[in-house]
mmCIF file of all heavy atoms in Angstrom:
data_model
loop_
_atom_site.group_PDB
_atom_site.id
_atom_site.type_symbol
_atom_site.label_atom_id
_atom_site.label_comp_id
_atom_site.label_asym_id
_atom_site.label_seq_id
_atom_site.Cartn_x
_atom_site.Cartn_y
_atom_site.Cartn_z
ATOM 1 N N SER A 89 -43.415 7.986 16.785
ATOM 2 C CA SER A 89 -42.555 8.067 15.635
ATOM 3 C C SER A 89 -41.995 9.433 15.447
ATOM 4 O O SER A 89 -42.752 10.443 15.554
ATOM 5 C CB SER A 89 -43.325 7.650 14.362
ATOM 6 O OG SER A 89 -42.458 7.695 13.254
ATOM 7 N N ARG A 90 -40.733 9.537 15.208
ATOM 8 C CA ARG A 90 -40.095 10.806 14.918
ATOM 9 C C ARG A 90 -39.033 10.677 13.869
ATOM 10 O O ARG A 90 -38.224 9.727 13.851
ATOM 11 C CB ARG A 90 -39.454 11.427 16.217
ATOM 12 C CG ARG A 90 -40.570 11.750 17.245
ATOM 13 C CD ARG A 90 -39.959 12.287 18.521
ATOM 14 N NE ARG A 90 -41.032 12.265 19.480
ATOM 15 C CZ ARG A 90 -40.841 12.187 20.788
ATOM 16 N NH1 ARG A 90 -39.627 12.154 21.263
ATOM 17 N NH2 ARG A 90 -41.863 12.168 21.622
ATOM 18 N N PRO A 91 -38.961 11.676 12.946
ATOM 19 C CA PRO A 91 -37.862 11.598 11.966
ATOM 20 C C PRO A 91 -36.569 12.026 12.646
ATOM 21 O O PRO A 91 -36.601 12.707 13.659
ATOM 22 C CB PRO A 91 -38.278 12.668 10.908
ATOM 23 C CG PRO A 91 -39.170 13.614 11.659
ATOM 24 C CD PRO A 91 -39.873 12.825 12.756
ATOM 25 N N GLU A 92 -35.450 11.507 12.133
ATOM 26 C CA GLU A 92 -34.154 11.873 12.645
ATOM 27 C C GLU A 92 -33.142 12.064 11.511
ATOM 28 O O GLU A 92 -33.114 11.209 10.627
ATOM 29 C CB GLU A 92 -33.605 10.789 13.546
ATOM 30 C CG GLU A 92 -34.432 10.445 14.788
ATOM 31 C CD GLU A 92 -33.951 9.135 15.424
ATOM 32 O OE1 GLU A 92 -34.395 8.069 14.943
ATOM 33 O OE2 GLU A 92 -33.157 9.142 16.341
ATOM 34 N N ASN A 93 -32.412 13.168 11.590
ATOM 35 C CA ASN A 93 -31.414 13.413 10.562
ATOM 36 C C ASN A 93 -30.056 13.137 11.198
ATOM 37 O O ASN A 93 -29.455 13.948 11.863
ATOM 38 C CB ASN A 93 -31.497 14.852 10.070
ATOM 39 C CG ASN A 93 -30.508 15.116 8.929
ATOM 40 O OD1 ASN A 93 -29.603 14.321 8.731
ATOM 41 N ND2 ASN A 93 -30.640 16.260 8.287
ATOM 42 N N LEU A 94 -29.569 11.883 10.969
ATOM 43 C CA LEU A 94 -28.323 11.482 11.598
ATOM 44 C C LEU A 94 -27.108 12.188 11.043
ATOM 45 O O LEU A 94 -26.032 12.186 11.647
ATOM 46 C CB LEU A 94 -28.110 9.952 11.432
ATOM 47 C CG LEU A 94 -29.352 9.033 11.810
ATOM 48 C CD1 LEU A 94 -29.046 7.627 11.651
ATOM 49 C CD2 LEU A 94 -29.761 9.305 13.290
ATOM 50 N N ALA A 95 -27.240 12.812 9.835
ATOM 51 C CA ALA A 95 -26.115 13.435 9.163
ATOM 52 C C ALA A 95 -26.093 14.962 9.408
ATOM 53 O O ALA A 95 -25.312 15.662 8.797
ATOM 54 C CB ALA A 95 -26.190 13.122 7.666
ATOM 55 N N TRP A 99 -27.425 15.794 15.446
ATOM 56 C CA TRP A 99 -28.201 14.701 15.949
ATOM 57 C C TRP A 99 -27.791 14.322 17.425
ATOM 58 O O TRP A 99 -26.576 14.269 17.671
ATOM 59 C CB TRP A 99 -28.094 13.503 15.000
ATOM 60 C CG TRP A 99 -28.899 12.332 15.522
ATOM 61 C CD1 TRP A 99 -30.236 12.159 15.416
ATOM 62 C CD2 TRP A 99 -28.379 11.182 16.200
ATOM 63 N NE1 TRP A 99 -30.627 10.956 16.022
ATOM 64 C CE2 TRP A 99 -29.500 10.349 16.521
ATOM 65 C CE3 TRP A 99 -27.119 10.738 16.615
ATOM 66 C CZ2 TRP A 99 -29.387 9.106 17.172
ATOM 67 C CZ3 TRP A 99 -27.001 9.542 17.249
ATOM 68 C CH2 TRP A 99 -28.137 8.719 17.561
ATOM 69 N N ASP A 103 -34.485 11.708 20.839
ATOM 70 C CA ASP A 103 -35.686 11.139 20.199
ATOM 71 C C ASP A 103 -35.581 9.620 20.061
ATOM 72 O O ASP A 103 -36.490 8.892 20.283
ATOM 73 C CB ASP A 103 -35.919 11.728 18.822
ATOM 74 C CG ASP A 103 -36.479 13.146 18.890
ATOM 75 O OD1 ASP A 103 -36.981 13.485 19.958
ATOM 76 O OD2 ASP A 103 -36.512 13.838 17.875
ATOM 77 N N ALA A 104 -34.328 9.183 19.725
ATOM 78 C CA ALA A 104 -34.098 7.701 19.552
ATOM 79 C C ALA A 104 -34.445 6.978 20.936
ATOM 80 O O ALA A 104 -35.077 5.929 20.967
ATOM 81 C CB ALA A 104 -32.704 7.433 19.169
ATOM 82 N N ILE A 107 -38.128 6.776 21.527
ATOM 83 C CA ILE A 107 -38.760 5.790 20.661
ATOM 84 C C ILE A 107 -38.478 4.361 21.194
ATOM 85 O O ILE A 107 -39.378 3.516 21.268
ATOM 86 C CB ILE A 107 -38.208 5.922 19.156
ATOM 87 C CG1 ILE A 107 -38.696 7.214 18.487
ATOM 88 C CG2 ILE A 107 -38.607 4.658 18.349
ATOM 89 C CD1 ILE A 107 -38.061 7.552 17.257
ATOM 90 N N ILE A 108 -37.226 4.177 21.568
ATOM 91 C CA ILE A 108 -36.869 2.796 22.091
ATOM 92 C C ILE A 108 -37.593 2.526 23.419
ATOM 93 O O ILE A 108 -38.153 1.416 23.665
ATOM 94 C CB ILE A 108 -35.305 2.692 22.289
ATOM 95 C CG1 ILE A 108 -34.631 2.667 20.910
ATOM 96 C CG2 ILE A 108 -34.929 1.491 23.123
ATOM 97 C CD1 ILE A 108 -33.111 2.904 20.978
ATOM 98 N N ASN A 111 -41.579 2.279 22.104
ATOM 99 C CA ASN A 111 -41.956 1.232 21.098
ATOM 100 C C ASN A 111 -41.396 -0.180 21.453
ATOM 101 O O ASN A 111 -42.005 -1.183 21.128
ATOM 102 C CB ASN A 111 -41.475 1.631 19.744
ATOM 103 C CG ASN A 111 -42.084 2.867 19.211
ATOM 104 O OD1 ASN A 111 -42.868 3.552 19.964
ATOM 105 N ND2 ASN A 111 -41.842 3.223 17.988
ATOM 106 N N ILE A 112 -40.220 -0.177 22.097
ATOM 107 C CA ILE A 112 -39.647 -1.514 22.404
ATOM 108 C C ILE A 112 -39.924 -1.772 23.865
ATOM 109 O O ILE A 112 -40.624 -2.749 24.240
ATOM 110 C CB ILE A 112 -38.131 -1.532 22.095
ATOM 111 C CG1 ILE A 112 -37.836 -1.312 20.628
ATOM 112 C CG2 ILE A 112 -37.487 -2.869 22.545
ATOM 113 C CD1 ILE A 112 -36.374 -1.297 20.205
ATOM 114 N N LEU A 141 -42.876 -1.087 7.953
ATOM 115 C CA LEU A 141 -41.497 -0.610 7.857
ATOM 116 C C LEU A 141 -40.523 -1.452 8.692
ATOM 117 O O LEU A 141 -39.321 -1.211 8.684
ATOM 118 C CB LEU A 141 -41.457 0.866 8.336
ATOM 119 C CG LEU A 141 -42.172 1.869 7.530
ATOM 120 C CD1 LEU A 141 -42.115 3.265 8.132
ATOM 121 C CD2 LEU A 141 -41.611 1.905 6.056
ATOM 122 N N ALA A 142 -41.080 -2.472 9.392
ATOM 123 C CA ALA A 142 -40.189 -3.407 10.088
ATOM 124 C C ALA A 142 -39.328 -4.202 9.114
ATOM 125 O O ALA A 142 -38.231 -4.647 9.416
ATOM 126 C CB ALA A 142 -41.016 -4.403 10.918
ATOM 127 N N LEU A 144 -38.540 -3.196 5.782
ATOM 128 C CA LEU A 144 -37.719 -2.364 4.868
ATOM 129 C C LEU A 144 -37.748 -0.927 5.458
ATOM 130 O O LEU A 144 -38.862 -0.344 5.521
ATOM 131 C CB LEU A 144 -38.392 -2.327 3.531
ATOM 132 C CG LEU A 144 -37.722 -3.035 2.386
ATOM 133 C CD1 LEU A 144 -38.619 -2.992 1.110
ATOM 134 C CD2 LEU A 144 -36.337 -2.471 1.991
ATOM 135 N N PRO A 145 -36.648 -0.372 5.869
ATOM 136 C CA PRO A 145 -36.723 0.910 6.486
ATOM 137 C C PRO A 145 -36.932 2.137 5.553
ATOM 138 O O PRO A 145 -36.436 2.150 4.440
ATOM 139 C CB PRO A 145 -35.347 1.058 7.175
ATOM 140 C CG PRO A 145 -34.436 0.188 6.406
ATOM 141 C CD PRO A 145 -35.278 -0.936 5.793
ATOM 142 N N LEU A 146 -37.710 3.108 6.124
ATOM 143 C CA LEU A 146 -37.746 4.429 5.532
ATOM 144 C C LEU A 146 -36.662 5.206 6.267
ATOM 145 O O LEU A 146 -36.734 5.447 7.485
ATOM 146 C CB LEU A 146 -39.139 5.065 5.825
ATOM 147 C CG LEU A 146 -39.468 6.361 5.166
ATOM 148 C CD1 LEU A 146 -39.464 6.246 3.653
ATOM 149 C CD2 LEU A 146 -40.875 6.838 5.624
ATOM 150 N N ALA A 147 -35.569 5.538 5.487
ATOM 151 C CA ALA A 147 -34.326 5.915 6.181
ATOM 152 C C ALA A 147 -34.425 7.241 6.953
ATOM 153 O O ALA A 147 -33.593 7.515 7.855
ATOM 154 C CB ALA A 147 -33.215 6.027 5.159
ATOM 155 N N SER A 148 -35.454 8.022 6.726
ATOM 156 C CA SER A 148 -35.608 9.279 7.482
ATOM 157 C C SER A 148 -36.198 8.990 8.875
ATOM 158 O O SER A 148 -36.308 9.934 9.702
ATOM 159 C CB SER A 148 -36.495 10.266 6.720
ATOM 160 O OG SER A 148 -37.623 9.639 6.179
ATOM 161 N N PHE A 149 -36.617 7.769 9.108
ATOM 162 C CA PHE A 149 -37.108 7.363 10.434
ATOM 163 C C PHE A 149 -36.285 6.177 10.972
ATOM 164 O O PHE A 149 -36.789 5.059 11.197
ATOM 165 C CB PHE A 149 -38.588 6.997 10.356
ATOM 166 C CG PHE A 149 -39.518 8.154 10.097
ATOM 167 C CD1 PHE A 149 -39.711 8.590 8.778
ATOM 168 C CD2 PHE A 149 -40.120 8.832 11.141
ATOM 169 C CE1 PHE A 149 -40.524 9.683 8.530
ATOM 170 C CE2 PHE A 149 -41.005 9.921 10.883
ATOM 171 C CZ PHE A 149 -41.173 10.341 9.580
ATOM 172 N N PRO A 150 -34.940 6.366 11.158
ATOM 173 C CA PRO A 150 -34.106 5.217 11.397
ATOM 174 C C PRO A 150 -34.401 4.425 12.668
ATOM 175 O O PRO A 150 -34.495 3.218 12.645
ATOM 176 C CB PRO A 150 -32.720 5.852 11.448
ATOM 177 C CG PRO A 150 -32.892 7.307 11.704
ATOM 178 C CD PRO A 150 -34.229 7.649 11.117
ATOM 179 N N THR A 151 -34.562 5.142 13.804
ATOM 180 C CA THR A 151 -34.789 4.372 15.061
ATOM 181 C C THR A 151 -36.222 3.843 15.119
ATOM 182 O O THR A 151 -36.388 2.707 15.572
ATOM 183 C CB THR A 151 -34.551 5.329 16.246
ATOM 184 O OG1 THR A 151 -33.222 5.953 16.097
ATOM 185 C CG2 THR A 151 -34.585 4.567 17.580
ATOM 186 N N TYR A 152 -37.145 4.595 14.527
ATOM 187 C CA TYR A 152 -38.497 4.102 14.502
ATOM 188 C C TYR A 152 -38.570 2.778 13.707
ATOM 189 O O TYR A 152 -39.135 1.759 14.238
ATOM 190 C CB TYR A 152 -39.426 5.131 13.800
ATOM 191 C CG TYR A 152 -40.829 4.613 13.627
ATOM 192 C CD1 TYR A 152 -41.740 4.527 14.696
ATOM 193 C CD2 TYR A 152 -41.322 4.189 12.363
ATOM 194 C CE1 TYR A 152 -42.995 3.982 14.492
ATOM 195 C CE2 TYR A 152 -42.607 3.618 12.184
ATOM 196 C CZ TYR A 152 -43.416 3.573 13.307
ATOM 197 O OH TYR A 152 -44.727 3.073 13.125
ATOM 198 N N CYS A 153 -38.015 2.740 12.564
ATOM 199 C CA CYS A 153 -38.010 1.508 11.721
ATOM 200 C C CYS A 153 -37.290 0.363 12.445
ATOM 201 O O CYS A 153 -37.789 -0.815 12.458
ATOM 202 C CB CYS A 153 -37.422 1.683 10.361
ATOM 203 S SG CYS A 153 -38.418 2.864 9.383
ATOM 204 N N ALA A 154 -36.197 0.688 13.070
ATOM 205 C CA ALA A 154 -35.408 -0.330 13.827
ATOM 206 C C ALA A 154 -36.227 -0.864 15.044
ATOM 207 O O ALA A 154 -36.163 -2.021 15.326
ATOM 208 C CB ALA A 154 -34.063 0.212 14.255
ATOM 209 N N SER A 155 -36.988 0.014 15.608
ATOM 210 C CA SER A 155 -37.788 -0.469 16.792
ATOM 211 C C SER A 155 -38.827 -1.436 16.329
ATOM 212 O O SER A 155 -39.121 -2.386 17.010
ATOM 213 C CB SER A 155 -38.450 0.781 17.513
ATOM 214 O OG SER A 155 -39.564 1.249 16.776
ATOM 215 N N LYS A 156 -39.318 -1.265 15.131
ATOM 216 C CA LYS A 156 -40.370 -2.187 14.642
ATOM 217 C C LYS A 156 -39.743 -3.471 14.132
ATOM 218 O O LYS A 156 -40.332 -4.534 14.225
ATOM 219 C CB LYS A 156 -41.179 -1.503 13.537
ATOM 220 C CG LYS A 156 -41.923 -0.238 13.993
ATOM 221 C CD LYS A 156 -42.838 -0.536 15.162
ATOM 222 C CE LYS A 156 -43.765 0.646 15.519
ATOM 223 N NZ LYS A 156 -44.717 0.339 16.582
ATOM 224 N N ALA A 157 -38.543 -3.380 13.596
ATOM 225 C CA ALA A 157 -37.782 -4.611 13.231
ATOM 226 C C ALA A 157 -37.479 -5.418 14.449
ATOM 227 O O ALA A 157 -37.583 -6.661 14.482
ATOM 228 C CB ALA A 157 -36.494 -4.261 12.460
ATOM 229 N N PHE A 158 -37.143 -4.756 15.569
ATOM 230 C CA PHE A 158 -36.925 -5.430 16.832
ATOM 231 C C PHE A 158 -38.172 -6.204 17.257
ATOM 232 O O PHE A 158 -38.148 -7.384 17.598
ATOM 233 C CB PHE A 158 -36.536 -4.426 17.957
ATOM 234 C CG PHE A 158 -36.315 -4.972 19.320
ATOM 235 C CD1 PHE A 158 -35.127 -5.094 19.858
ATOM 236 C CD2 PHE A 158 -37.449 -5.435 20.037
ATOM 237 C CE1 PHE A 158 -34.933 -5.613 21.127
ATOM 238 C CE2 PHE A 158 -37.283 -5.980 21.320
ATOM 239 C CZ PHE A 158 -36.007 -6.102 21.836
ATOM 240 N N PHE A 245 -35.877 -0.679 -1.537
ATOM 241 C CA PHE A 245 -35.267 0.322 -0.683
ATOM 242 C C PHE A 245 -35.020 1.580 -1.486
ATOM 243 O O PHE A 245 -35.376 2.731 -0.974
ATOM 244 C CB PHE A 245 -33.949 -0.184 -0.115
ATOM 245 C CG PHE A 245 -33.295 0.816 0.830
ATOM 246 C CD1 PHE A 245 -33.573 0.854 2.197
ATOM 247 C CD2 PHE A 245 -32.363 1.725 0.390
ATOM 248 C CE1 PHE A 245 -33.055 1.789 3.075
ATOM 249 C CE2 PHE A 245 -31.797 2.675 1.246
ATOM 250 C CZ PHE A 245 -32.117 2.690 2.540
ATOM 251 N N ASN A 249 -36.537 5.226 -0.732
ATOM 252 C CA ASN A 249 -35.508 6.174 -0.230
ATOM 253 C C ASN A 249 -34.683 6.668 -1.473
ATOM 254 O O ASN A 249 -33.555 6.280 -1.650
ATOM 255 C CB ASN A 249 -34.600 5.489 0.757
ATOM 256 C CG ASN A 249 -35.380 4.945 1.974
ATOM 257 O OD1 ASN A 249 -35.772 5.682 2.831
ATOM 258 N ND2 ASN A 249 -35.585 3.624 1.950
#
Side-chain angles (χ1 to χ4, degrees):
S89 177
R90 294 180 192 154
E92 297 167 277
N93 184 349
L94 309 180
W99 179 77
D103 283 347
I107 292 168
I108 290 167
N111 296 8
I112 297 180
L141 296 176
L144 251 176
L146 188 61
S148 45
F149 291 83
T151 308
Y152 175 76
C153 295
S155 74
K156 299 303 188 175
F158 178 108
F245 181 86
N249 301 283

